[in-house]
Amino acid sequence: MDTGTPATGGFAALLLRLRTEAGLSQEELAHAAGVSVRALSYMERGQSRGPQRRTVQALAAALGLDEAGARELEHTASLGRPRRAPAADVPPPAAAPDAVAQTGAPDLLPRAPRGFHGRAAELDALTRATAGEAPVCLVVGPAGVGKTALVLHWAHRGRAGFPDGRLYADLRGFGGTGEPVLMEVLREFLAALGVPRDRIPESANGAAALFRSLAADRRLLVVLDNARDSEQVRPLLPGGRRCVTVVTSRHRLPGLIVTDSARPVAVDVLGPEDAAMLLAGVLGAERVLAEPAAARRLAELCGGLPLALRVAAARLAQRPGWSLEAMAAELADETRRLALLDVEDTGVRAALRVTLQELPREVARQFAHLGRHPGTHVDRYAAAALAGTDPAAAEACLERLAVAHLVTETAAGRWTMHDLVRLYARSLDVAPEALTRVLDHYVATGLAAVAAAEPGNEECFPLPADHLPPAAVREFDDRAAAVAWYAAERDDLAVAVAAAHAAGLHGRAWRIVMVLWPLIVWRVRDGWVPLLETGLAAARADADRHGESRVLNVLGWVLIEEGRIEEALTHLAAASALASRAGDAAAEANALVVLAMAQAALGGLDEAAQGCERAVELAREAGDRTLERLALQHLARHRADAGEWRRALDTATAALAFDDRPGTSDVPRILLLMVRGEALLGLGDEAEGIAQLDLAAREAESAGYEDGAVRALGVLLRVSADAGVRARYDAAVARLTTRA
């Protein structure tokens, strides 16, 4: 009869003494050894006198016994195990208190998803990630991307690989119904594995330990769907070496990767072909094949997001007479798109709303402000400006948003949003000055880039009177860093100009255009006219004559490079007149220099030289040595084109003497070296002329100034048949063509 007291000898007494000496409670030892508290209690009471070797080894390890102590515990346990006897003499064994009823293999998986298509790469990745011993696989991706469908399709397809059962739990980490209690999940798992309800431990630790012990030697699949974080998952990991665990989450769960070596499998949006197949699965192949272009457009407007595609298909299925083209036309309206992609309580907005609710307040606030960004990419400085915070705080929020798959880091320090996520962010309420803050961030950063790319030049303009300075401005170490920023941000800067102009923030619009001038100089044939025309309209709407003159000047120069000389002359004459009336000597000198280029292009070399001479005088009046050097550079060019070799050489040499930054190179220096080289060739000094042209070409190549490299190497080829020069010329042309 069981008195409830420990046995006085044998294995039970030894185990109790060892646990007491180790200072462990029954719950602590049971958890560490992977056995149930009830089973451990029975052992210490002598009701389970001869536990199996595997259990004893786990207890010895949990107690921290040395080799001798472990042997003693095992030997004592073996004494209590029943000896084999002839079958006729052995009565049927009594059922152990922790026995598990023998049942068929449990299967808690929901039904396989209907209309599943594609995902071959992800299915292969999932198979690879679930190979090996006791793997934990982490399937991650944004809301609505189809993580659960992928895992269930894979699990049903591979049923034979898990003969001992397939367990499933929806952890509801991103639902509005609340997460299940841990014991609720464990009870369901243990019952599925044959444990009678009245034998399931009452504590979560005990139930988890029993689950691990039952899973230890089984080939189980455990699917933990919609996990919020790593902490929610860990108590449900089976741990058996033949068990496979698949976790799905909208978050990346890095903690699970660290502690349990979880292997991540990323699930992204569908490609065009798979998206069309998904539509066909709902609507029928004939309906989709009848409008292939509209199907592709629908997939594009849904951003390849399976949830959005299924909602769109559901709407079409309810209206069989409605064409795919009509649905695409409605979705093209950004103001209605998210509403059209909601059905009852299901849809993109609902999924994103729940994801956002799980985030800290400051992270959700940053997300909302990202919706006011006019472009597609942000760095930490732009994000900080939008939210009125500092770059470090903004970056921390961006990283948290990336973990939740609400933003994606496309390059180091640059984040973007899925189109539908961006539309959702734009629907949220934020302070109206967010757009102004990010525009002023671009103005301030652009001025810093100008200073690094073209040091010594005057500032493009004064800041607006109501300028909102950002908390921090990116610093550029050199011209290369500034040019890299220009190249990365060019598209977003162009969108920012359009957004500023549309919002009536005209002063910001033309200023952002003007801070781009170093990139325009370096890539003059990159189609700048539409952007400059927007800047010109903004300057005129702002009634800023200084800004109008500067934009006209740059626009005229680009038009010259595009061969549109007559248009350029009109703009440049207006720029010169505006600057003169305003008494802006520097702006007038700039306009005269570019006007001279147009005059020279029409054959008026003398007129062009005279204009540059006047520009030199104006620059000296303004005390602007950088502008004076620029005017001399163009004067040297016009004299060289007129065959005035000596005057061209003297002018170029005088301008080069202005360079007070040895070891640096910029566009004017490269062009002056070219003039020197041509002038020396014209004067008969071929060796020195070739040397100067080669120097100009090498500096242009090194700086990435492909236009200059092509020009210098082109002149060299006229006087040299060197194969190396030809190869460099061809390479520079190829780079220029590829870039265009």
Side-chain angles (χ1 to χ4, degrees):
M1 178 178 179
D2 178 16
T3 63
T5 59
T8 57
F11 178 78
L14 177 59
L15 179 60
L16 176 60
R17 177 173 62 81
L18 291 172
R19 178 174 66 78
T20 304
E21 290 174 353
L24 298 173
S25 67
Q26 279 190 342
E27 288 79 7
E28 289 169 335
L29 179 56
H31 179 72
V35 300
S36 70
V37 177
R38 182 175 297 180
L40 180 60
S41 176
Y42 287 142
M43 291 180 213
E44 291 188 350
R45 292 180 181 186
Q47 293 178 323
S48 180
R49 291 173 293 173
Q52 297 300 309
R53 182 186 299 271
R54 180 176 64 250
T55 302
V56 177
Q57 289 173 342
L59 289 167
L63 289 164
L65 300 182
D66 58 17
E67 187 175 349
R71 279 201 305 270
E72 180 187 3
L73 188 65
E74 165 55 26
H75 174 70
T76 307
S78 69
L79 296 176
R81 293 176 191 143
R83 298 285 186 261
R84 280 193 181 275
D89 299 330
V90 179
D98 58 342
V100 175
Q102 295 300 311
T103 63
D107 192 348
L108 300 182
L109 288 179
R111 65 173 176 81
R114 296 173 182 172
F116 185 90
H117 293 287
R119 297 293 195 193
E122 290 88 345
L123 289 167
D124 288 345
L126 186 51
T127 298
R128 290 193 301 271
T130 53
E133 185 172 311
V136 178
C137 176
L138 182 56
V139 178
V140 295
V145 82
K147 301 178 292 296
T148 300
L150 172 76
V151 171
L152 291 179
H153 178 80
W154 174 86
H156 281 281
R157 191 178 69 170
R159 297 169 70 93
F162 307 104
D164 295 322
R166 291 156 296 279
L167 306 179
Y168 172 90
D170 184 356
L171 301 184
R172 304 197 297 269
F174 303 94
T177 57
E179 298 171 9
V181 177
L182 174 60
M183 274 302 297
E184 176 187 329
V185 178
L186 287 168
R187 286 193 189 99
E188 188 170 5
F189 281 5
L190 290 171
L193 292 173
V195 180
R197 291 282 179 178
D198 61 347
R199 301 287 182 89
I200 295 175
E202 296 181 1
S203 71
N205 282 342
L210 179 56
F211 172 53
R212 288 193 296 273
S213 67
L214 293 176
D217 293 319
R218 302 190 190 211
R219 292 176 65 184
L220 283 175
L221 170 65
V222 179
V223 177
L224 304 174
D225 201 13
N226 292 314
R228 168 182 37 82
D229 55 28
S230 302
E231 183 181 359
Q232 191 186 23
V233 169
R234 290 192 185 100
L236 297 170
L237 296 179
R241 62 185 181 84
R242 298 194 298 168
C243 292
V244 171
T245 307
V246 179
V247 182
T248 76
S249 181
R250 298 180 191 181
H251 292 173
R252 292 178 182 170
L253 307 192
L256 206 62
I257 297 174
V258 172
T259 61
D260 295 275
S261 300
R263 304 166 185 174
V265 172
V267 183
D268 206 346
V269 296
L270 293 172
E273 185 175 338
D274 285 346
M277 290 176 65
L278 188 153
L279 290 172
V282 179
L283 301 174
E286 290 185 5
R287 192 171 176 186
V288 173
L289 290 174
E291 297 183 80
R296 287 194 298 272
R297 179 61 176 153
L298 268 179
E300 178 185 331
L301 290 167
C302 292
L305 194 68
L307 174 61
L309 286 162
R310 290 186 181 280
V311 172
R315 286 189 175 279
L316 285 164
Q318 292 173 335
R319 302 169 70 177
W322 211 26
S323 69
L324 273 67
E325 184 177 358
M327 183 69 186
E330 291 212 359
L331 286 177
D333 182 355
E334 288 190 353
T335 63
R336 300 183 59 216
R337 190 178 305 166
L338 285 177
L340 290 169
L341 293 177
D342 282 341
V343 174
E344 296 182 350
D345 60 346
T346 300
V348 177
R349 284 190 301 193
L352 292 172
R353 186 184 307 115
V354 172
T355 302
L356 202 61
Q357 287 171 351
E358 296 296 323
L359 297 174
R361 182 174 177 275
E362 67 275 10
V363 179
R365 178 179 179 275
Q366 179 69 75
F367 174 81
H369 281 84
L370 292 177
R372 291 297 178 268
H373 189 270
T376 58
H377 289 78
V378 296
D379 60 13
R380 65 194 192 112
Y381 293 94
L386 283 162
T389 185
D390 62 86
E395 185 170 26
C397 289
L398 287 166
E399 289 175 350
R400 186 67 182 270
L401 290 169
V403 168
H405 290 94
L406 290 172
V407 301
T408 302
E409 191 172 12
T410 56
R414 285 177 62 77
W415 288 266
T416 190
M417 286 178 165
H418 185 281
D419 288 347
L420 296 178
V421 177
R422 185 178 297 108
L423 286 178
Y424 179 69
R426 287 177 181 170
S427 72
L428 303 176
D429 290 332
V430 297
E433 66 269 14
L435 176 61
T436 304
R437 285 199 301 260
V438 79
L439 294 173
D440 283 349
H441 147 75
Y442 281 130
V443 170
T445 309
L447 288 173
V450 170
E454 299 294 340
N457 280 275
E458 64 167 326
E459 288 195 357
C460 304
F461 44 72
L463 292 172
D466 58 347
H467 176 71
L468 300 175
V473 179
R474 176 190 289 271
E475 296 179 356
F476 300 97
D477 294 333
D478 51 27
R479 175 181 291 106
V483 171
W485 179 81
Y486 278 127
E489 297 288 349
R490 174 178 171 177
D491 290 343
D492 282 312
L493 288 168
V495 175
V497 169
H501 192 37
L505 299 170
H506 306 298
R508 271 81 176 179
W510 70 259
R511 283 175 170 86
I512 295 174
V513 171
M514 284 307 300
V515 297
L516 278 162
W517 76 261
L519 185 63
I520 296 173
V521 168
W522 282 56
R523 299 184 174 181
V524 66
R525 297 188 181 90
D526 274 8
W528 296 103
V529 170
L531 181 66
L532 287 162
E533 288 176 339
T534 300
L536 178 60
R540 287 172 173 166
D542 197 35
D544 191 303
R545 290 187 176 181
H546 172 83
E548 183 180 355
S549 173
R550 292 303 177 93
V551 177
L552 279 169
N553 197 38
V554 179
L555 175 58
W557 180 63
V558 171
L559 288 169
I560 292 170
E561 292 292 330
E562 292 188 359
R564 298 158 64 177
I565 310 301
E566 295 297 336
E567 292 177 68
L569 281 171
T570 301
H571 290 309
L572 292 166
S576 177
L578 278 170
S580 179
R581 286 198 298 271
D584 189 338
E588 185 179 359
N590 262 308
L592 287 172
V593 166
V594 185
L595 180 60
M597 292 173 63
Q599 294 164 339
L602 294 174
L605 291 175
D606 288 342
E607 189 179 12
Q610 291 170 9
C612 286
E613 287 170 348
R614 174 58 181 155
V616 171
E617 294 173 2
L618 288 167
R620 287 172 179 164
E621 288 177 17
D624 190 331
R625 285 180 58 80
T626 301
L627 182 55
E628 182 182 352
R629 174 189 180 224
L630 180 68
L632 286 170
Q633 170 216 315
H634 283 270
L635 178 58
R637 176 77 266 166
H638 299 318
R639 285 173 172 168
D641 289 343
E644 299 177 13
W645 302 120
R646 174 54 60 186
R647 296 181 73 188
L649 179 61
D650 291 344
T651 304
T653 301
L656 283 166
F658 278 52
D659 192 353
D660 56 0
R661 294 173 289 110
T664 63
S665 181
D666 58 10
V667 172
R669 172 179 163 78
I670 291 167
L671 295 175
L672 284 165
L673 289 171
M674 288 170 58
V675 171
R676 271 181 59 86
E678 292 176 56
L680 287 164
L681 290 176
L683 293 170
D685 191 346
E686 184 171 300
E688 185 58 25
I690 289 175
Q692 290 288 298
L693 288 165
D694 184 65
L695 178 60
R698 291 189 184 281
E699 290 193 10
E701 290 167 325
S702 177
Y705 178 33
E706 308 300 353
D707 286 332
V710 169
R711 293 180 189 181
L713 291 166
V715 177
L716 271 177
L717 282 176
R718 293 202 294 266
V719 294
S720 171
D722 185 275
V725 173
R726 167 58 65 180
R728 289 165 60 198
Y729 176 81
D730 291 341
V733 170
R735 290 193 299 270
L736 189 61
T737 304
T738 302
R739 188 194 71 199

